[in-house]
Amino acid sequence: MVEKDWLAKQFEQNRGHLRGVAYRMLGSLSEAEDAVQETWVRLNRSDANSIDNLGGWLTTVVSRVCLDMLRSRSSRREDSIEDNPIEIPAKDDTSIDPEQEAILAESVGIALMVLLNRLNPAERFAFVLHDLMDLPFDEIAPILGRTSTATRQLASRARRQVRGISHEAGAEFAQQREIVSSFLTALRAGDIEGLVQVLDPDLVVHIDKSAAATGVPAEIHGARNWAGNAVAFARHMRFFQPALVDGTVGILLAPRGRLTRVLRFTFTDGRITHLDVIADPERLRQLEIGMLEGSDG
């Protein structure tokens, strides 16, 4: 009993790390909790005395569990704790709080979570473990059943997708980032005048059918006309994050890392002249999205 208590204590000390690994792998807090739970189950089925590095062992096991879940999400096996006679250490809250998941997504980076969701299981696995968790390829490769060279190539391919198009730090690109930053600052503050300052007076806004609310036209002309209604977005501001969108600086709306809307801009003479509000799922899938270098995601 003393040994089990010690094991439970050691597991609890690693729980936060394991949840972080699993969340980055799966993009779902509920699935991440399932993966952590399964890792506890497997720990109790193992000979703990033969494990030299418990933290490393747990990371490897939760990674294997996540890989299995990624590969067979539609039909993955749901483990029942009733089938396991060993009591799983209690969590602070057994339910999944949407707010808790939102905070976790923000801590990882909203744009990063969106981009991770676009990778295939092997790419996501290699990228998360190497680039985000600093595991060497020699340790990742056996889990994937590939060579170290092949695993390195997977991570490299994922990295190119995540980081997006490579931009040199030119004046035009820097200006786009500054404009979008001012745009977001004004929007978050409900500052209509501040918003108008970064918009061309003859701004044209296109809103696709999936984004348009009842009674809102699909096209709006005039910076002030649009800015007066745009502050309604304020309640979603925490989920907005700048990112590369089709090669220029845009904005993603992704509550809990789920991409629901994109703002795509056209810039002319230091102002936003055209704004596309995109929410159609097929259009969102077709957009080329990438991380902005130096962004906090």
Side-chain angles (χ1 to χ4, degrees):
M1 193 67 185
V2 173
E3 182 179 348
K4 286 185 179 181
D5 290 343
W6 178 86
L7 203 59
K9 182 177 180 180
Q10 294 300 308
F11 185 83
E12 282 303 312
Q13 291 176 357
N14 284 276
R15 183 187 287 277
H17 167 73
L18 298 177
R19 183 189 293 118
V21 173
Y23 183 73
R24 286 161 176 81
M25 288 281 192
L26 301 168
S28 162
L29 184 55
S30 62
E31 288 188 330
E33 294 289 6
D34 287 344
V36 172
Q37 175 177 293
E38 173 63 15
T39 301
W40 166 252
V41 170
R42 295 190 185 188
L43 176 61
N44 277 280
R45 290 173 180 166
S46 303
D47 179 8
N49 293 323
S50 66
I51 301 174
D52 295 327
N53 179 353
L54 182 60
W57 187 92
L58 290 171
T59 299
T60 298
V61 171
V62 78
S63 299
R64 290 181 185 276
V65 172
C66 290
L67 183 59
D68 289 342
M69 294 171 72
L70 284 171
R71 285 172 168 169
S72 57
R73 259 187 168 144
S74 61
S75 60
R76 69 179 178 85
R77 178 174 56 89
E78 296 288 346
D79 292 299
S80 172
I81 60 173
E82 286 79 18
D83 295 335
N84 188 338
I86 303 172
E87 183 180 359
I88 295 173
K91 293 179 284 191
D92 293 337
D93 185 359
T94 56
S95 64
I96 301 302
D97 181 0
E99 180 69 12
Q100 181 187 11
E101 183 162 7
I103 293 171
L104 184 56
E106 289 176 79
S107 71
V108 174
I110 292 170
L112 177 58
M113 289 307 303
V114 169
L115 290 160
L116 288 177
N117 286 334
R118 291 186 165 205
L119 302 177
N120 68 42
E123 290 171 344
R124 184 167 186 162
F125 187 87
F127 178 81
V128 168
L129 287 186
H130 181 265
D131 286 49
L132 304 185
M133 297 300 166
D134 296 321
L135 264 66
F137 288 118
D138 287 346
E139 293 183 19
I140 302 171
I143 305 175
L144 278 172
R146 305 195 184 201
T147 65
S148 293
T149 300
T151 304
R152 186 184 300 273
Q153 291 172 345
L154 282 170
S156 178
R157 188 161 63 237
R159 195 177 303 116
R160 286 195 297 271
Q161 295 183 64
V162 169
R163 299 305 173 191
I165 301 171
S166 177
H167 283 270
E168 296 182 1
E172 183 179 354
F173 183 59
Q175 185 183 57
Q176 289 180 12
R177 296 192 69 163
E178 185 177 346
I179 292 169
V180 171
S181 177
S182 298
F183 176 93
L184 275 176
T185 298
L187 207 52
R188 285 173 174 143
D191 179 6
I192 295 177
E193 294 304 318
L195 200 53
V196 168
Q197 286 181 14
V198 299
L199 303 175
D200 185 89
D202 297 321
L203 171 76
V204 177
V205 179
H206 285 289
I207 306 171
D208 73 18
K209 292 181 180 179
S210 297
T214 302
V216 176
E219 185 169 292
I220 299 173
H221 292 261
R224 196 167 292 279
N225 288 339
W226 182 77
N229 295 319
V231 293
F233 283 115
R235 67 183 184 277
H236 298 301
M237 281 300 97
R238 64 182 295 184
F239 302 116
F240 274 104
Q241 184 172 332
L244 283 174
V245 179
D246 288 343
T248 59
V249 182
I251 294 174
L252 311 183
L253 172 60
R256 290 182 284 165
R258 275 63 166 181
L259 185 62
T260 61
R261 189 166 302 192
V262 167
L263 306 186
R264 184 174 59 186
F265 302 112
T266 299
F267 303 90
T268 306
D269 297 329
R271 289 196 172 188
I272 297 169
T273 56
H274 196 110
L275 168 58
D276 280 316
V277 183
I278 302 168
D280 178 73
E282 183 57 33
R283 292 188 69 196
L284 291 176
R285 281 192 290 270
Q286 293 174 357
L287 292 174
E288 184 175 342
I289 294 174
M291 292 281 291
L292 282 171
E293 184 179 352
S295 67
D296 56 8

